[in-house]
Amino acid sequence: QVQLVESGGGLVQAGDSLRLSCAASGRTFSAFAMAWFRQAPGKEREFVARIVTNGVFTNYADFVKGRFTISRDNAKNTMYLQMNSLKTEDTAVYYCAAGRYTVSASGYDYWGQGTQVTVSS
């Protein structure tokens, strides 16, 4: 089992930045690829970004490329999502997930409880 806890969400204005964190405990964090997904009200959960076990390779959804950066610190069992130039359409609950290196939510076995990000205009 892996327990994941997100933090860092909040209410910001368009153009601001936020950094989300995902703290892991339980099984070896470094053994898992990690990802961020998000879900806006009335919409399906969607892929945001993913990172391989050692952090060398990353991949982003087109709508966050150039604005968001995913990273991880295996020594601290923590993953991050630096979000810059936030837009109102980024408003959602953000979830971190551990599993295989895929853009599909079904590839991740462990999920956090989510953290709310609200971007006002």
Side-chain angles (χ1 to χ4, degrees):
Q1 289 286 341
V2 174
Q3 291 77 44
L4 302 173
V5 179
E6 302 96 336
S7 61
L11 173 62
V12 296
Q13 292 188 327
D16 285 351
S17 298
L18 273 177
R19 189 176 81 155
L20 305 183
S21 298
C22 173
S25 61
R27 292 180 61 186
T28 306
F29 175 73
S30 59
F32 295 94
M34 300 291 295
W36 290 97
F37 288 77
R38 70 185 188 185
Q39 188 167 18
K43 295 187 177 181
E44 294 188 353
R45 189 170 298 190
E46 62 181 356
F47 165 76
V48 175
R50 56 178 172 158
I51 187 167
V52 295
T53 55
N54 61 6
V56 172
F57 296 107
T58 59
N59 175 240
Y60 299 89
D62 286 344
F63 54 77
V64 302
K65 282 182 180 177
R67 299 190 299 124
F68 290 10
T69 302
I70 188 172
S71 62
R72 66 190 296 166
D73 185 339
N74 287 344
K76 295 182 178 180
N77 288 349
T78 303
M79 176 180 65
Y80 306 97
L81 186 68
Q82 178 66 43
M83 305 186 295
N84 298 330
S85 302
L86 282 163
K87 305 176 181 180
T88 55
E89 52 262 45
D90 294 320
T91 295
V93 177
Y94 284 71
Y95 298 90
C96 67
R100 295 187 293 112
Y101 187 65
T102 174
V103 300
S104 173
S106 63
Y108 295 89
D109 298 315
Y110 305 102
W111 293 82
Q113 81 291 347
T115 186
Q116 177 70 47
V117 173
T118 303
V119 184
S120 63
S121 59

